[in-house]
C-alpha cells in the first residue's frame, strides 16, 4: 500500500505532475540530508493510485476540474478526488487533519500557518526529492526563495500566482438600465460609481442593492480596499509587505483614507447587500448572479489607474 505523501503546493497543475509520468530523481541524486531524513517512494506505473486534493481556489474550480480530467486521461491508473472549500473552512479543517495524520495528498499552506512552522513540523516532503532540475528550470527564479518556497536546497512550495493587490469590478447591466444609469468602464469615477450604487439601492427597495462583497473573508476585503487605494494613487503593495515613502508607511495616505471613506459612505447609505458582512466569496457571487446587487468586486485582475475606478467588466 502506497504511503500518503502530503506535498505543500499552491498550484494544482504543478502538484499533480509529481505522480506517474515525471522523471524521478535517482537514489544517488540530491543532498545527503535528503537521503538521511526522507524516504522516497516510487509507485509502480501500473499501481492504482488515488490523489486527494483540497484547496480554496473556488474561482478557478472549473479550470482545475478540467485539468484533473485531462490528467486522469493521461494517467489511467490515477484517480483524482478534488475538493474545494472556502478559505475559512480550509483553515478550520486542515490543521486538525494534518496533525491527525489524515491530510490530503496535495494542499496549499493554510493562511494561519507559516512556512517555517509547516517545514519544522514535517508536514510534507521536498519536491526536489522526486523532480529533477529541468522541472524547476521552468519556474522564474524569484519564486524560489529561502523561507518562502525553499529551505536550504529543498523546494517545498510553488506559488500559484504573483500576489498583487488587483481587482475587477463586475456589474449587472440590467439593474443599471432600470435606473437609467450608464457606465463607461474607461471613464467612470468613484463619485459616479457611488451615485449609481445609491440609485440602484433606492430603486431596488430591498429587492436588490448597489453592491455585494464577501465580508466574511477578511483577505478578500483587504485586497479590495488595497485595490481601490492604489487606483487613487497609493503605493501599498501586497499584504505582508510594507512600502515606505520618506521613511513613513503609506497606510494613512489620503488615497487610502478615500478608499475607506468610499466604503463607509456606501455602508451608511445602505448600498451594500445587508448580508455582506457574513458572506463568503461563493455566496456573494451567487447573490450577484441572482440579480441581488449591481456590482461585485473580485480580486486579481487589471487596473485602470489614475482617478478612475477599477476596470469594470459586464454581467448580464
Amino acid at each position: 500500500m502506497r504511503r500518503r505523501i502530503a506535498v505543500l503546493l499552491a498550484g494544482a497543475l504543478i502538484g499533480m505532475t509529481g505522480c506517474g509520468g515525471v522523471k524521478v530523481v535517482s537514489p544517488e541524486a540530491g543532498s545527503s540530508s535528503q537521503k538521511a531524513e526522507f524516504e522516497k517512494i516510487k509507485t509502480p506505473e501500473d499501481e492504482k493510485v488515488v490523489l486527494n486534493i483540497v484547496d480554496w481556489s473556488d474561482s478557478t474550480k472549473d479550470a482545475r476540474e478540467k485539468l484533473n480530467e485531462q490528467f486522469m486521461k493521461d494517467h489511467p491508473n490515477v484517480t483524482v478526488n478534488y475538493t474545494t472549500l472556502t478559505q475559512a473552512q480550509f483553515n478550520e479543517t486542515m490543521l486538525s487533519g494534518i496533525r491527525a495524520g489524515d491530510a490530503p495528498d496535495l494542499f496549499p499552506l493554510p493562511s494561519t500557518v507559516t512556512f517555517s512552522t509547516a517545514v519544522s513540523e514535517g508536514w510534507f516532503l521536498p519536491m526536489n526529492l522526486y523532480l529533477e532540475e529541468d522541472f524547476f528550470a521552468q519556474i522564474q527564479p524569484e519564486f524560489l526563495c529561502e523561507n518562502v518556497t525553499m529551505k536550504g536546497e529543498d523546494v517545498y512550495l510553488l506559488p500559484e500566482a504573483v500576489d498583487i493587490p488587483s481587482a475587477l469590478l463586475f456589474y449587472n447591466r440590467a439593474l443599471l438600465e432600470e435606473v437609467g444609469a450608464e457606465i463607461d468602464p474607461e471613464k467612470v469615477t468613484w463619485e459616479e460609481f457611488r451615485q449609481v450604487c445609491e440609485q440602484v439601492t433606492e430603486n431596488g427597495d430591498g429587492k436588490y442593492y448597489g453592491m455585494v462583497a464577501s465580508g466574511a473573508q477578511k483577505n478578500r476585503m483587504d485586497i479590495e480596499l488595497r485595490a481601490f487605494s492604489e487606483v487613487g494613487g497609493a503605493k501599498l503593495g501586497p499584504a505582508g509587505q510594507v512600502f515606505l515613502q520618506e521613511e513613513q508607511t503609506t497606510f494613512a495616505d489620503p488615497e487610502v483614507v478615500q478608499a475607506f471613506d468610499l466604503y463607509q459612505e456606501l455602508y451608511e447609505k445602505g448600498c451594500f447587500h445587508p448580508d455582506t458582512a457574513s458572506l463568503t466569496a461563493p455566496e456573494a457571487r451567487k447573490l450577484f448572479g441572482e440579480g441581488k446587487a449591481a456590482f461585485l468586486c473580485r480580486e486579481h485582475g487589471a487596473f485602470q489607474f489614475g482617478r478612475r475606478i477599477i476596470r469594470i467588466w459586464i454581467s448580464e
Side-chain angles (χ1 to χ4, degrees):
M1 184 70 179
R2 187 178 69 94
R3 189 185 71 181
R4 177 173 297 165
I5 301 172
V7 179
L8 175 65
L9 191 64
L13 171 62
I14 297 175
M16 284 185 285
T17 60
C19 176
V22 300
K23 290 184 288 185
V24 177
V25 181
S26 65
E28 294 75 27
S31 67
S32 59
S33 64
Q34 284 180 331
K35 286 183 281 187
E37 297 177 11
F38 303 111
E39 176 190 356
K40 186 178 69 173
I41 301 164
K42 184 176 180 180
T43 304
E45 293 186 3
D46 58 349
E47 181 178 334
K48 297 296 183 181
V49 174
V50 176
L51 280 178
N52 294 308
I53 304 173
V54 179
D55 66 25
W56 67 75
S57 297
D58 53 275
S59 58
T60 57
K61 181 180 179 181
D62 291 344
R64 290 173 185 270
E65 288 178 339
K66 291 179 181 178
L67 174 65
N68 294 341
E69 290 173 5
Q70 184 59 52
F71 185 84
M72 287 187 284
K73 288 181 181 178
D74 295 339
H75 304 83
N77 64 311
V78 178
T79 299
V80 176
N81 293 332
Y82 175 54
T83 303
T84 303
L85 305 173
T86 66
Q87 189 171 26
Q89 291 170 333
F90 181 87
N91 288 338
E92 290 173 4
T93 60
M94 284 301 297
L95 293 181
S96 58
I98 291 167
R99 287 169 178 155
D102 191 29
D105 299 291
L106 300 172
F107 56 92
L109 180 67
S111 61
T112 53
V113 177
T114 65
F115 173 75
S116 59
T117 297
V119 172
S120 65
E121 291 193 3
W123 288 8
F124 43 82
L125 294 176
M127 285 184 277
N128 48 295
L129 189 66
Y130 289 86
L131 303 173
E132 292 187 328
E133 288 300 321
D134 57 351
F135 174 84
F136 296 104
Q138 304 172 62
I139 302 168
Q140 297 182 40
E142 58 267 30
F143 292 155
L144 300 178
C145 305
E146 181 69 14
N147 293 321
V148 178
T149 59
M150 300 180 65
K151 194 73 172 178
E153 296 181 357
D154 294 325
V155 180
Y156 292 97
L157 179 145
L158 295 174
E160 180 181 40
V162 179
D163 186 13
I164 55 175
S166 56
L168 296 171
L169 193 64
F170 291 80
Y171 72 88
N172 185 309
R173 180 185 294 169
L175 293 185
L176 267 60
E177 289 178 348
E178 280 193 31
V179 298
E182 295 184 2
I183 287 288
D184 184 338
E186 300 295 333
K187 297 180 180 180
V188 63
T189 65
W190 289 17
E191 180 60 23
E192 291 170 341
F193 168 66
R194 184 188 60 77
Q195 291 175 356
V196 170
C197 282
E198 289 186 30
Q199 287 179 284
V200 172
T201 301
E202 184 177 350
N203 190 69
D205 194 26
K207 294 181 294 185
Y208 52 79
Y209 299 83
M211 191 171 179
V212 65
S214 47
Q217 295 183 241
K218 295 178 181 178
N219 62 310
R220 291 180 182 259
M221 297 301 295
D222 173 76
I223 292 173
E224 288 183 25
L225 285 164
R226 285 173 180 270
F228 274 94
S229 299
E230 292 216 349
V231 166
K235 296 181 179 178
L236 291 179
Q241 295 184 17
V242 178
F243 291 176
L244 299 179
Q245 287 186 326
E246 299 179 356
E247 299 185 357
Q248 298 292 322
T249 65
T250 58
F251 295 123
D253 281 5
E255 297 84 2
V256 180
V257 175
Q258 289 169 5
F260 276 86
D261 285 345
L262 173 65
Y263 268 44
Q264 182 68 25
E265 284 187 67
L266 293 175
Y267 169 73
E268 291 177 350
K269 297 287 186 178
C271 294
F272 278 106
H273 188 283
D275 295 335
T276 290
S278 61
L279 294 175
T280 63
E283 291 168 340
R285 288 198 293 271
K286 183 174 184 293
L287 288 174
F288 176 72
E290 293 172 349
K292 303 297 184 182
F295 293 97
L296 171 72
C297 193
R298 293 286 307 281
E299 73 275 13
H300 299 306
F303 276 121
Q304 182 66 37
F305 283 97
R307 289 301 302 165
R308 299 176 185 172
I309 201 167
I310 302 170
R311 186 179 296 278
I312 293 178
W313 284 32
I314 301 171
S315 169
E316 299 294 347

